Amino acid sequence: MQPLKIGILNVMHDKAETNARFTKVLTHAGVPVELHFYYPKTHYPGGVPADVGRILAPLDMTAAARMAGFIITGAPIEKFAFDDVTYIDEARALMDVLAVHRVTQLYLCWGGMAALDHFYGIKKHMLPHKLFGVYPHHLIAPSSLLAGLPEGFYAAHARYAEMDRDQIDADPRLRLEATTTDGALFLAGNRQAQQTFMFAHLEYGQKGLLHEYQREVAAHPDRFYRKPEHYFADPATMSGPQFKWEQTQHVFFDQWVARVAKEQQVKERI
């Protein structure tokens, strides 16, 4: 079996750690994969930092069109209007290439927001405060990507914005598959277009939320930041971060890789 070629546009702040996370979750099932990590060229008009150039390649649309699957990661920029993001035109062009060539697409957190805005005109709004922590989830519709998970399965969220659920529900092309038990978006998709939109950070390892909190506090020590909820064994001391979403992580990414393989086989037969 030839390795599945999967491209990843890495626009996270911690690029080396993000590469390592996706390598781990996408190889967990043991399916041979060949991962290609990219950065958006328009994000670095003054020159690519050496640490970025060592681990990421400049986005190549021709190569992206040949991938079996492609992921656009989250990014800590959901407070910005989409049009104010330096590389949004390049990201949108990539989305169009993936759609035209029917590459199996996975859009995560900010990537999911940008894709829903671009393809379907779904509006983004800011939350009263950051959705940050580990939450139980409710299955709304059957999903092959969540098959085998129990009602109340856990996932880790970390975002300041949300997409308009009423618009998603009203669009016949889209299907909302799961939310938190409080109604925050988790998973939506358009199977006909081979698109999945996931609004949690399932790729995070056990200390992912802790590291995100520490990064924000270090960047702006004068500001107040909410600690991740339902995460620490001892919230008062922030000790004992719990990996409650590990099962969800394995189920989702294993089954997404299986979907990529299946849809690639279909394309090769056509």
Side-chain angles (χ1 to χ4, degrees), residues 33-90:
V33 296
E34 181 181 301
L35 302 181
H36 299 260
F37 294 94
Y38 298 101
Y39 65 84
K41 292 181 285 188
T42 48
H43 190 39
Y44 303 106
V48 182
D51 59 333
V52 173
R54 281 195 296 268
I55 61 173
L56 304 177
L59 181 59
D60 182 335
M61 298 295 183
T62 301
R66 296 172 180 159
M67 296 289 167
F70 210 101
I71 296 170
I72 296 183
T73 72
I77 53 173
E78 65 264 37
K79 292 182 180 180
F80 293 97
F82 293 117
D83 287 342
D84 291 339
V85 175
T86 58
Y87 51 84
I88 193 63
D89 289 339
E90 189 175 4

Side-chain angles (χ1 to χ4, degrees), residues 70-237:
F70 210 101
I71 296 170
I72 296 183
T73 72
I77 53 173
E78 65 264 37
K79 292 182 180 180
F80 293 97
F82 293 117
D83 287 342
D84 291 339
V85 175
T86 58
Y87 51 84
I88 193 63
D89 289 339
E90 189 175 4
R92 287 168 173 162
L94 170 62
M95 294 176 201
D96 288 338
V97 166
L98 300 176
V100 166
H101 292 274
R102 296 192 62 76
V103 176
T104 304
Q105 303 145 62
L106 175 58
Y107 300 101
L108 298 178
C109 207
W110 177 85
M113 298 179 193
L116 283 177
D117 169 79
H118 178 59
F119 288 121
Y120 304 100
I122 307 298
K123 300 302 181 185
K124 179 180 72 172
H125 63 267
M126 299 308 298
L127 293 168
H129 55 76
K130 185 178 185 179
L131 181 66
F132 193 32
V134 185
Y135 305 98
H137 287 69
H138 170 59
L139 291 162
I140 293 174
S143 170
S144 62
L145 297 177
L146 304 177
L149 289 174
E151 179 69 15
F153 67 89
Y154 288 103
H157 290 255
R159 66 178 186 275
Y160 288 95
E162 183 72 297
M163 302 305 285
D164 191 307
R165 178 172 175 173
D166 290 339
Q167 284 187 287
I168 294 173
D169 287 337
D171 193 317
R173 297 169 294 177
L174 296 171
R175 185 172 75 162
L176 186 60
E177 297 180 344
T179 66
T180 69
T181 53
D182 288 334
L185 297 178
F186 173 68
L187 191 69
N190 180 344
R191 283 300 303 274
Q192 293 300 112
Q194 298 175 322
Q195 295 168 341
T196 299
F197 313 92
M198 199 256 285
F199 300 97
H201 278 286
L202 277 190
E203 80 280 9
Y204 275 9
Q206 182 173 355
K207 295 184 179 180
L209 295 179
L210 173 62
H211 291 163
E212 178 162 333
Y213 175 79
Q214 292 171 332
R215 173 184 62 83
E216 288 192 319
V217 170
H220 300 284
D222 55 317
R223 300 179 186 176
F224 169 77
Y225 288 98
R226 296 168 64 95
K227 298 175 183 177
E229 299 179 295
H230 319 301
Y231 175 49
F232 298 110
D234 184 349
T237 62

